């Protein structure tokens, strides 16, 4: 019997506010243990939380970016459980009236992964296990989160990976989080079950907690899928439980039986007022939103005639797409700008972290100036490529490296003379071309382009050489 994988995600994303959700403590990553906390975020008796308005605004933007419906009335609840990293024995979260309802994330195969809701909440502290001892660092406690809860719509590991990547990309684009999984600012709880192919009944799910790597998410899901299938086929039953994934052994193991909502004894937080989100606030925040990556990618393909693969590279990070947009202003061909960015600038931004920050030495205006020199016929592409390398080395503009004579072009007689010299000085290439080796002509073209310092038209030179030889 074949089994179908069914998965849903609960994705926690730390918001990029400067202060915590209920107090003025910093949200900066790192710092000495327990140095970024106060009586409010630790929850000492007699303290009162005060909701950070920016947290609500960021949550609304997340809902808008994922096509959700923003609730006009939203409330905070207490989620009660006792664990060492939760100093007050409850977490302030949302259950009954979350900030955003519904929505979806669209995958490249056209499937829409539906969202149940997005809510805001506070993060817990962190347990550190060293040499057999356990330490608690409350710096992370009270850092604002959104939790994005999907429906069980994911049907493969590839879909799961793309879903997480799309969420990460969108949240970075709208500027509400850096989503650095390695720092814990984006973490996923994966709910997974299996069922016979064709069945509409959901199987018993398990939850793999706190996954902070897309690679490990894929490995953990593959292992858990196979474990559940083997268990069912051997006559056993899947038990609803919370699991941890060990990347060293590539296995999951039980942490505790899986709780349901009633186990947490949720009730309305008595210290926080109702959140009222007027429609004009939603419209104002919507007006601040940038063009989303999926919309931008579609525009690049349809309007700028950029190949789909290149458009995806240009829109993966917001700073790259903004650089590209500015560099394209007023140019004849956006493809020329795309080729320079992907072909040359990307070689100097090797890692994904480099591409995310895209801190290159030239401005988009300088690249725009270089491309317009090509558009006007003042320089050829080869000279432009060489010039861009010098620009990237120095941070200077194109005209620092291109002289008036470079932009003067070549007259017909000069081109003829250079072609004649190339033919005379490369008899073997000429003979190879005559014998049917088409690529041999490229060596002759390269000779002319070198001696013309890139000022000749390569296509015209190739045709002229072929005419001379024949």
């Amino acid at each position: 019997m074949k089994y179908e994988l069914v998965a849903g995600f609960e994705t926690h994303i730390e918001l990029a506010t400067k202060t915590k959700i209920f107090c003025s403590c910093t949200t900066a990553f790192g710092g000495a243990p327990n140095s970024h906390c106060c009586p409010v975020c630790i929850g000492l008796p007699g303290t009162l939380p005060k909701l950070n308005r920016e947290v609500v605004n960021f949550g609304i933007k997340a809902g808008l970016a994922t096509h959700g419906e923003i609730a006009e009335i939203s409330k905070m609840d207490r989620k009660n459980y006792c664990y060492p990293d939760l100093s007050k024995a409850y977490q302030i979260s949302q259950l009954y009236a979350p900030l955003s309802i519904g929505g979806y994330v669209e995958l490249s195969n056209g499937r829409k992964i539906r969202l149940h809701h997005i809510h805001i909440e506070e993060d817990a502290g962190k347990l550190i296990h060293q040499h057999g001892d356990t330490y608690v660092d409350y710096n992370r406690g009270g850092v604002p989160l959104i939790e994005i809860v999907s429906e069980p719509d994911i049907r493969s590991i590839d879909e799961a990976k793309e879903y997480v990547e799309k969420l990460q990309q969108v949240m970075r684009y709208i500027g509400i989080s850096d989503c650095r999984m390695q720092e814990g600012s984006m973490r996923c709880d994966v709910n997974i079950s299996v069922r016979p192919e064709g069945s509409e009944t959901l199987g018993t799910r398990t939850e793999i907690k706190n996954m902070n790597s897309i690679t490990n998410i894929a490995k953990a899901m593959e292992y858990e899928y196979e474990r559940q299938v083997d268990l069912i086929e051997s006559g056993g039953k899947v038990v609803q439980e919370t699991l941890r994934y060990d990347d060293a052994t590539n296995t999951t193991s039980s942490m505790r039986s899986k709780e349901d909502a009633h186990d947490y004894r949720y009730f309305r937080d008595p210290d926080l007022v109702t959140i009222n989100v007027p429609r004009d606030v939603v419209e104002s925040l919507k007006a601040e939103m940038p063009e989303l990556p999926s919309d931008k990618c579609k525009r690049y393909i349809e309007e700028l005639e950029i190949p789909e693969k290149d458009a995806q590279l240009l829109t993966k990070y917001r700073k790259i797409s903004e650089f590209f947009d500015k560099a394209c202003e007023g140019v004849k061909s956006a493809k020329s700008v795309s080729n320079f960015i992907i072909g040359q600038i990307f070689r100097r931004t090797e890692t994904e972290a480099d591409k995310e920050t895209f801190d290159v030495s030239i401005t988009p205006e300088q690249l725009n100036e270089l491309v317009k020199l090509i558009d006007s016929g003042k320089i050829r592409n080869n000279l432009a490529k060489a010039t861009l390398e010098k620009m990237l080395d120095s941070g200077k503009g194109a005209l620092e490296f291109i002289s008036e004579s470079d932009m003067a072009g070549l007259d017909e007689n000069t081109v003829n003379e250079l072609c004649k010299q190339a033919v005379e000085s490369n008899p073997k290439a000429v003979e190879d071309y005559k014998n049917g080796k088409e690529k041999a002509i490229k060596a002759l073209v390269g000779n002319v382009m070198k001696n013309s310092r890139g000022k000749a038209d390569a296509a015209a030179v190739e045709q002229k050489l072929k005419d001379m030889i024949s």
Side-chain angles (χ1 to χ4, degrees), residues 33 127-136:
L127 298 182
I128 301 165
H129 307 284
Q130 291 180 351
H131 312 299
D133 294 319
T134 299
Y135 303 90
V136 187

Side-chain angles (χ1 to χ4, degrees), residues 179-194:
C179 290
R180 290 181 182 150
M181 298 187 79
Q182 70 276 15
E183 294 181 2
S185 57
M186 181 175 182
R187 311 188 294 277
C188 298
D189 298 340
V190 185
N191 291 282
I192 181 170
S193 65
V194 300

Side-chain angles (χ1 to χ4, degrees), residues 196-214:
E197 276 194 356
S199 172
E200 294 298 317
T201 304
L202 293 174
T204 302
R205 66 190 169 98
T206 58
E207 180 185 39
I208 312 171
K209 288 289 284 185
N210 288 328
M211 303 296 295
N212 62 354
S213 156
I214 293 174

Side-chain angles (χ1 to χ4, degrees), residues 42 95 105 116 161 170 191 274 332 358 452:
I42 293 176
L95 177 68
V105 172
H116 184 274
K161 288 163 64 178
V170 168
N191 291 282
T274 298
K332 290 181 180 178
F358 209 58
S452 71

Side-chain angles (χ1 to χ4, degrees), residues 19 71 169 173 230 263 267 296 351 410 469:
T19 57
Q169 182 188 40
Y173 251 76
D230 289 346
D263 295 313
F267 63 85
K296 186 167 282 197
T351 68
L410 295 176
I469 294 171

Side-chain angles (χ1 to χ4, degrees), residues 191-448:
N191 291 282
I192 181 170
S193 65
V194 300
R195 64 185 178 187
E197 276 194 356
S199 172
E200 294 298 317
T201 304
L202 293 174
T204 302
R205 66 190 169 98
T206 58
E207 180 185 39
I208 312 171
K209 288 289 284 185
N210 288 328
M211 303 296 295
N212 62 354
S213 156
I214 293 174
T215 300
N216 283 349
I217 286 172
K219 289 180 180 178
M221 289 182 69
E222 183 176 10
Y223 174 83
E224 184 60 16
Y225 168 80
E226 292 175 355
R227 186 189 74 83
Q228 290 189 21
V229 169
D230 289 346
L231 187 61
I232 293 169
E233 291 194 332
S234 63
K237 288 187 176 181
V238 177
V239 177
Q240 183 175 325
E241 59 185 339
T242 298
L243 307 172
R244 67 163 59 87
Y245 172 70
D246 185 343
D247 61 343
T249 60
N250 191 33
T251 59
T252 59
S253 59
S254 180
M255 292 172 65
R256 57 183 180 269
S257 60
K258 172 62 181 169
E259 300 91 345
D260 288 312
H262 63 262
D263 295 313
Y264 292 114
R265 306 186 323 280
Y266 278 94
F267 63 85
R268 172 76 185 277
D269 189 287
D271 294 331
L272 290 160
V273 298
T274 298
I275 303 167
N276 180 20
V277 183
R279 292 298 96 186
D280 61 326
V281 171
V282 176
E283 292 304 315
S284 176
L285 291 170
K286 187 183 292 186
E288 295 175 12
M289 299 272 283
E291 184 179 22
L292 295 177
S294 57
D295 297 330
K296 186 167 282 197
C297 187
K298 184 178 179 181
R299 176 169 63 84
Y300 287 176
I301 295 167
E302 295 179 356
E303 297 180 18
L304 303 183
E305 298 181 347
I306 301 295
E308 183 177 355
K309 186 177 179 181
D310 291 352
Q312 289 171 348
L313 290 172
L314 292 169
T315 55
K316 185 171 183 181
Y317 296 108
R318 179 176 172 179
K319 287 189 176 179
I320 294 176
S321 68
E322 289 175 342
F323 186 100
F324 173 71
D325 286 338
K326 288 180 182 176
C328 282
E329 290 178 4
V331 304
K332 290 181 180 178
S333 171
K335 186 70 170 66
S336 296
V337 179
S338 170
N339 288 343
F340 283 130
I341 292 174
I342 294 172
Q344 287 179 261
I345 298 178
F346 273 14
R347 282 203 297 270
R348 297 180 182 234
T349 52
E350 297 178 353
T351 68
E352 291 303 300
D354 291 337
K355 288 183 173 66
E356 184 184 349
T357 56
F358 209 58
D359 186 19
V360 295
S361 56
I362 64 168
T363 65
E365 290 77 14
Q366 287 173 320
L367 180 57
N368 178 272
E369 179 185 47
L370 179 67
V371 173
K372 283 180 177 176
L373 289 174
I374 302 174
D375 289 347
S376 63
K378 292 182 178 180
I379 62 171
R380 300 293 178 190
N381 209 48
N382 280 7
L383 178 58
K385 286 181 179 178
T387 301
L388 180 56
E389 291 299 328
K390 295 174 184 176
M391 293 166 63
L392 291 168
D393 286 337
S394 65
K396 295 178 180 178
L399 295 179
E400 294 285 335
F401 307 102
I402 301 174
S403 66
E404 289 293 330
S405 63
D406 289 329
M407 293 187 286
L410 295 176
D411 59 58
E412 192 73 15
N413 290 335
T414 304
V415 175
N416 287 336
E417 185 60 34
L418 290 172
C419 288
K420 184 179 177 183
Q421 289 174 10
V423 169
E424 291 174 351
S425 60
N426 294 277
K428 187 177 185 310
V430 172
E431 191 62 30
D432 287 344
Y433 178 70
K434 286 181 176 179
N435 292 330
K437 294 182 179 179
E438 285 288 330
K439 289 184 178 179
I441 200 72
K442 299 299 181 185
L444 299 173
V445 173
N447 180 280
V448 174

